[in-house]
Amino acid sequence: MSISTAPDVRPGRLAPAEYAQRFADATPRLTPAQAVLEAERCLYCFDAPCATACPTGIDVPSFIKRLAEGNLRGSARAILEANPLGGMCARVCPTENLCEAVCVRNTQEGKPVAIGRLQRHAVDALMESAHPQLFTRAPATGKKVAVVGAGPAGLACAHTLAKLGHDVMVYDARPKAGGLNEYGLASYKTPGNFAQTEVQWLLSIGGITLHRDWKLRTLAQLDALRMDYDALFLGMGLGTTHQLGVPGEPLGGVQDAVDFIATLRQTDNLATLPIGRRVVVIGGGMTAVDAAVQAKLLGAESVHIVYRRGPEAMSASSAEQAWAQTHGVTIHHWLAPTEILANPTQSNHVGAVRFARQALVGGKLTATGERETIEADMVFKAIGQQLGNPVLAQAGFALEGGRIATDAVGLTNLRGIWAGGDCRAGGLDLTVEAVEHGKQSALAIHAQLAQ
C-alpha cells in the first residue's frame, strides 16, 4: 500500500463558533417540569432493584419521590449521603447497565425511569443554591488520616472521614484535584467546569487539606506518611498506560489517548488544539470512544476505532459505541495492530497503521493471515492502564495483576493502609465503584481509629 498524502495535523479546522456548539452538554438538563413528569413514572418499588444495582447504594425511590414532591434539597441529600460525588456520577455513570437496566419500568415497558438525569437534576439544583453544603462535621477526633490521590476514591474517602470528625490531608500529583473526573473524561460529558465545582463542594465541609503536585516516588515518602498519620488510604489510580509493542510506535503523531483527553480538558481555546485529518484510535473502552468522538468534534474528517475482538467484548457500553457511530466514527473489530508505518514524505511521522485480522479458534485469538491498513495522521492508544509504581512492590504490598490486593473494605496486607479505586485489584474501573471504595474504606478507618 502507498500512503497517499503528507501528514495533515493542524489546529483551527472549524469556525470559532462551532467549537462551543460541538462540545456543548451531551445530555441537556431536564427542565423542572420534565423532571417532575419523569419522577412520576417511578413506581417507588419496595426493595427496589435500582437501589440494589447502584454500587453506592443510593435509595433511588426515596430521592425520586422527594424530587416529585418538589423537595430538591431533600432529594439531593438522599443522593449525597450515599454518594458524595453523586453529581459527577449522574453524568458519567453507565446507568443503562446498572440502575436503569433493572428498573421495573424497563422490564415492563422497555423504557426505564431516567434515573441518571433525575439524579443530576437534584444535585445540580443543590450546587446552584445559596447554601449548597448539606453536612456538618462531627466533633473533632484528633486523628489525622492521609489520602494519596484526589480522584473519586480519594475524594470520597476524604469527605467521609472529614464528616466523621477526622482531619484529612490529601496528596495529589496533579495541579487540580478530581483525578479522571478532571483529566480523563470527554469534555461534553462534564461541561461548565463541574469537576471543580464538585471538588469545592466536597472541600467546603472543612477538615480537608489538599496538597497538589505531590507524587509517591520513594519508599521514604510512604514511610513518612505511615509515621505521621493514624491511617493511610491509597487512591492513586493507574499511572502508566500500556504500550502496543509494535514497530513504529515512537513515531510522531502517536500518543496515549488519556494524554490527548487530558490536554483537551485543560485547553481553554479548542481552536488552538491540533488534530489530524485522519485519526485512528486503538482500543475498545470508554477512553477510546471519548478520544475518537472528540477527535471528530475537533474537525477530523475520518476517525476509526479499531479493536482486536468482537463488539460484545468491548468494555465500552453499547450506548457508548452507538454514540461514537452517531458522531461519524467507524468501528472495526477483529483487527490487531502489527506495525505503525511512517509517512513517506515525513519519515518521523505516522502515515498509517497495519493490522492483522483475528479470529477465535478453539477459544484463542488467532491471526487469520489477512491484513488491513488504515491511513492516519494521528494514532491514539487506548489499550488500558497499569499501576506501574515500583514503590508499592518495594514496600511489600500484596499485588494482584499489578494492582493492590485488599479485603472487602479496602484493607491491604500492610497495617494501617487501605486502598481503593482503579489501583485496587478486582474492580470494575467505574467512577461510581471508586466512590464506594473510598466511602467503605473511610468507614473502616473510622471504626479502627475509634477502638
Side-chain angles (χ1 to χ4, degrees), residues 33-377:
Q34 288 173 329
V36 170
L37 285 172
E38 187 63 24
E40 289 177 346
R41 294 185 61 234
C42 182
L43 300 174
Y44 311 122
C45 305
F46 176 76
D47 196 21
C50 53
T52 304
C54 175
T56 59
I58 293 174
D59 188 344
V60 176
S62 177
F63 98 70
I64 293 180
K65 189 172 191 300
R66 295 179 193 185
L67 189 156
E69 294 170 345
N71 181 7
L72 289 175
R73 192 173 183 87
S75 178
R77 178 181 286 274
I79 295 163
L80 296 170
E81 283 177 336
N83 182 344
L85 279 79
M88 184 61 76
C89 288
R91 288 162 164 79
V92 304
C93 187
T95 52
E96 68 277 4
N97 295 336
L98 297 170
C99 55
E100 292 176 13
V102 297
C103 174
V104 174
R105 287 288 191 190
N106 190 39
T107 57
Q108 290 180 345
E109 303 169 6
K111 184 181 179 183
V113 174
I115 298 170
R117 297 183 75 186
L118 291 174
Q119 180 172 316
R120 175 180 172 179
H121 181 79
V123 175
D124 282 3
L126 175 75
M127 295 292 184
E128 294 165 4
S129 68
H131 303 287
Q133 185 52 258
L134 291 167
F135 307 110
T136 56
R137 296 187 69 203
T141 64
K143 301 293 186 179
K144 298 191 305 178
V145 181
V147 172
V148 176
L155 290 173
C157 183
H159 184 267
T160 305
L161 287 166
K163 192 164 64 168
L164 293 167
H166 306 295
D167 289 324
V168 187
M169 310 296 168
V170 181
Y171 297 86
D172 193 74
R174 299 274 201 169
K176 295 181 182 179
L180 288 178
N181 287 354
E182 173 61 38
Y183 292 96
L185 299 171
S187 60
Y188 53 76
K189 293 180 179 177
T190 60
N193 204 30
F194 182 79
Q196 291 309 303
T197 298
E198 189 169 62
V199 167
Q200 293 309 310
W201 179 84
L202 287 159
L203 297 178
S204 70
I205 194 172
I208 304 172
T209 302
L210 185 60
H211 299 272
R212 300 174 179 86
D213 299 308
W214 186 100
K215 187 173 183 178
L216 182 61
R217 301 179 187 277
T218 67
L219 193 56
Q221 287 176 299
L222 184 66
D223 291 339
L225 292 176
R226 299 185 73 182
M227 182 178 298
D228 295 342
Y229 294 94
D230 298 295
L232 172 60
F233 176 81
L234 301 178
M236 56 214 304
L238 300 175
T240 60
T241 54
H242 292 298
Q243 299 303 300
L244 297 172
V246 300
E249 194 165 0
L251 286 170
V254 181
Q255 62 176 291
D256 293 331
V258 291
D259 292 339
F260 166 68
I261 293 169
T263 299
L264 190 152
R265 289 278 308 215
Q266 303 306 309
T267 299
D268 293 329
N269 181 2
L270 293 179
T272 66
L273 189 63
I275 193 68
R277 182 170 63 85
R278 306 164 300 176
V279 175
V280 170
V281 182
I282 300 172
M286 188 177 71
T287 298
V289 170
D290 284 356
V293 171
Q294 291 187 113
K296 192 70 175 173
L297 294 177
L298 285 171
E301 291 182 14
S302 68
V303 180
H304 301 265
I305 290 177
V306 187
Y307 182 57
R308 64 195 179 99
R309 294 182 180 271
E312 69 287 341
M314 292 180 71
S315 57
S317 68
S318 56
E320 288 280 344
Q321 295 177 51
W323 174 258
Q325 292 169 321
T326 298
H327 284 79
V329 175
T330 303
I331 301 179
H332 305 260
H333 299 104
W334 303 109
L335 292 175
T338 59
E339 185 179 4
I340 298 176
L341 305 174
N343 191 290
T345 64
Q346 190 173 327
S347 61
N348 62 347
H349 196 93
V350 61
V353 186
R354 182 171 291 152
F355 297 91
R357 183 158 296 281
Q358 309 289 296
L360 283 179
V361 179
K364 184 179 179 180
L365 205 59
T366 305
T368 66
E370 298 177 60
R371 295 187 179 277
E372 186 169 332
T373 301
I374 302 176
E375 294 187 345
D377 305 302

